[in-house]
Amino acid sequence: MDKFSPKTIEALGYYVYIYSDPVTKVPFYVGKGKGNRAFAHLHDGSESDKAHKIAEIQARGRQPLIEILAFGLDEKAAYKVEAAAIDLLGLKNLTNKQAGHESSLYGRIEVSELDARFDHGELTESDFLEDAVLVKVNQLYRNGMSDFELYEVTRGFWRVDKSKIEGIHLALAVYDGMVLEAYEIAAWLPAGSGMCAARSVSQAESAHRMEFVGRVADQCIRDRYVGKGVSGLYAPGGANPIRYVRAAYSRKALVEINRVLEDIELTGEKREWCSNFSFYDPQQDDPYGLENSLNDLLDLAYRGGFVPVDYGVVYQSIGKEDIAVRKASKKELLELSDCQLVSILGYQFRGDHFDNGSWIRTYVANGLAYHYFHELAVRWGCA
C-alpha cells in the first residue's frame, strides 16, 4: 500500500505516524502530516539515516511497517503528539534528525521542572546583587539537556555590546522566561576561540559575535536566581536574546559593611566608644580609628544602594514604626522582604543626616545596624 483513499484522507485530517521494522516491530521514525505524507518516505533517495533504514528493509524484500499513532487532529495538536512520541521513544533510538516541533516547550519534562516553569517568583532589577547578562536560549534548549549541553548553548555565540559586558561576571541561561542556570564568567572571547560542542561559527560571524568561558556559579548565587522568572525584564516582542542588568545593590559593599560592623559587635571597647561618640568633639580620643572607618562605611552604604530613594514608603509598608530602633525578633525578620530590610537600613542612615553622629551613637553602638545588615548578608550569601 502506498496511498490512502480520498475518503480516508478526508477522515484523517492531520495525523502522526510511525515507521517500524516489520520483523522486530521496533520504531525507527516518527512523523506528522496529512494526505499521503505517511507514504512519502518510501521513495526517499536521500543519504539520511531514515532513507538508509528503509532501503535496508526493502533490500530484504519487505516494506516498513507504517502505523498511525493518532489522527483527526489539527496541525498544532499533531505537532504536540509527534513531539511526545519522539520524547517517549528517545531521539537517539530514532532516525529523526531532531526532536518534535516545540518539544522543548511541550515535550517530556520532569514534574518538578514543569511546576517551576509555571509557578516561580519573578525577579525585578532591584533583586540583582550582581551585574548580569541574561541569555535567552529558547531556540537551542530542549528538555533533558545535560548540564554541559546547557552550558554550551548558553555561552555562545552572541552579538553583544562590548562596552556593556565589561565587568559583568554573571550569565543567566533563560528559557521560556525562567532562569535555568547561573554561570560565573571568567572571560569573554571572540566567537570560535574555544571549542563549542553545540554550535559552529563562520569566519564572517566570528568578527561580530562573542562567547564566554566560565563555570556554574556558587550555590548562594544559584539560589538567588535559578528557577526564577525574568519575563518582565525583556521588552514585549523583543527579538534580542541578550539583556543586560545592572545590580541595584553592591554585594561587595555589603560584605565590607558586615565585616566592619561584626568586628565592632564582637569588641566591647569599640561598642563603648561608639556609644560615647560625638560629632562635635574634635578632641575625642579614637584609638581604633573608628570615626574615619565608619564615615567611609556610610559613604559605601550610599554608593552601594542601601539608602534607596523610596526607603520611606517601603518602611511605612512594614507597619511597625519602631522596628528600626529595636532588634526585630526572628519571626519578624522572616516576615520582612529584602526591600523592607533595606528600607530599615535607609531609615537608620538618614537619621544621621538630621543628627550628625546618631548612626554611630545609636545604631552601631547598640548593634542595631549589625542586626539588620547581618540578616541581609546571610540572605544574600555574603556572611
Side-chain angles (χ1 to χ4, degrees):
M1 182 175 178
D2 59 3
K3 65 179 181 180
F4 292 120
S5 69
K7 286 187 177 181
T8 303
I9 289 175
E10 184 179 354
L12 282 174
Y14 279 93
Y15 57 87
V16 176
Y17 57 92
I18 297 177
Y19 271 53
S20 301
D21 186 294
V23 177
T24 65
K25 304 297 190 293
V26 175
F28 64 85
Y29 183 79
V30 177
K32 85 105 181 80
K34 60 181 181 177
N36 286 311
R37 174 61 180 171
F39 303 104
H41 311 293
L42 295 174
H43 311 292
D44 185 351
S46 71
E47 293 298 315
S48 68
D49 291 341
K50 173 191 63 186
H52 281 299
K53 179 66 176 177
I54 292 172
E56 176 215 317
I57 292 170
Q58 291 172 336
R60 289 189 257 135
R62 305 292 293 271
Q63 289 293 340
L65 173 63
I66 306 174
E67 298 172 285
I68 302 300
L69 182 63
F71 67 92
L73 310 171
D74 59 30
E75 187 174 23
K76 190 171 184 179
Y79 274 128
K80 291 183 179 180
V81 173
E82 178 195 37
I86 292 173
D87 283 346
L88 182 62
L89 295 169
L91 187 61
K92 65 179 182 296
N93 300 317
L94 301 169
T95 57
N96 293 68
K97 290 184 177 180
Q98 59 188 21
H101 182 70
E102 293 190 332
S103 171
S104 58
L105 189 59
Y106 298 113
R108 188 175 185 175
I109 184 172
E110 195 271 328
V111 289
S112 61
E113 186 179 342
L114 178 65
D115 187 58
R117 183 182 294 176
F118 293 103
D119 185 27
H120 49 246
E122 285 288 325
L123 293 172
T124 64
E125 291 196 29
S126 63
D127 293 312
F128 280 75
L129 305 184
E130 296 85 11
D131 293 343
V133 56
L134 279 57
V135 182
K136 196 183 291 184
V137 296
N138 288 4
Q139 302 301 315
L140 302 167
Y141 177 76
R142 69 176 190 279
N143 294 326
M145 263 187 165
S146 68
D147 293 344
F148 177 72
E149 287 172 324
L150 178 58
Y151 167 68
E152 286 289 280
V153 299
T154 305
R155 71 182 195 85
F157 305 112
W158 308 106
R159 290 181 181 272
V160 293
D161 186 327
K162 293 182 181 179
S163 66
K164 290 183 178 179
I165 61 172
E166 186 175 353
I168 291 182
H169 301 292
L170 177 66
L172 302 180
V174 178
Y175 174 73
D176 194 28
M178 187 178 79
V179 178
L180 298 180
E181 189 54 273
Y183 301 100
E184 181 183 320
I185 300 171
W188 283 95
L189 305 169
S193 298
M195 293 182 63
C196 186
R199 305 169 69 182
S200 59
V201 62
S202 68
Q203 189 170 3
E205 285 183 304
S206 65
H208 304 287
R209 294 177 180 269
M210 299 191 75
E211 63 181 90
F212 71 82
V213 291
R215 65 176 181 86
V216 173
D218 291 340
Q219 191 59 46
C220 62
I221 305 292
R222 297 183 72 249
D223 288 344
R224 186 161 190 85
Y225 302 109
V226 175
K228 305 294 178 59
V230 290
S231 296
L233 298 179
Y234 283 90
N240 191 348
I242 300 297
R243 171 74 161 85
Y244 309 96
V245 180
R246 293 298 173 186
Y249 309 109
S250 169
R251 180 184 291 270
K252 186 179 293 185
L254 179 56
V255 170
E256 177 62 15
I257 294 170
N258 186 66
R259 184 192 66 79
V260 173
L261 293 179
E262 184 174 51
D263 177 61
I264 294 172
E265 183 70 9
L266 296 175
T267 310
E269 294 86 351
K270 292 182 179 180
R271 290 202 311 276
E272 184 177 355
W273 181 91
C274 290
S275 66
N276 294 319
F277 173 72
S278 172
F279 177 78
Y280 303 101
D281 182 6
Q283 304 302 318
Q284 185 175 24
D285 189 30
D286 186 6
Y288 306 105
L290 287 177
E291 183 174 1
N292 287 336
S293 177
L294 290 170
N295 282 333
D296 288 344
L297 224 61
L298 274 168
D299 182 57
L300 187 60
Y302 274 87
R303 288 188 287 109
F306 296 104
V307 191
V309 175
D310 64 345
Y311 82 90
V313 175
V314 179
Y315 185 80
Q316 289 298 319
S317 73
I318 299 172
K320 299 176 181 179
E321 291 192 12
D322 68 334
I323 197 166
V325 295
R326 63 178 175 83
K327 291 182 179 180
S329 67
K330 288 185 178 180
K331 181 177 182 296
E332 288 177 313
L333 288 174
L334 288 173
E335 293 171 347
L336 292 170
S337 69
D338 289 3
C339 288
Q340 288 175 327
L341 266 177
V342 171
S343 77
I344 292 173
L345 300 173
Y347 181 98
Q348 293 178 348
F349 282 124
R350 289 298 289 168
D352 199 74
H353 180 75
F354 302 104
D355 179 7
N356 286 328
S358 67
W359 182 68
I360 296 175
R361 191 170 54 253
T362 302
Y363 299 111
V364 176
N366 294 327
L368 294 169
Y370 174 70
H371 182 69
Y372 292 108
F373 262 115
H374 184 69
E375 172 65 19
L376 205 57
V378 170
R379 291 188 185 187
W380 294 355
C382 300

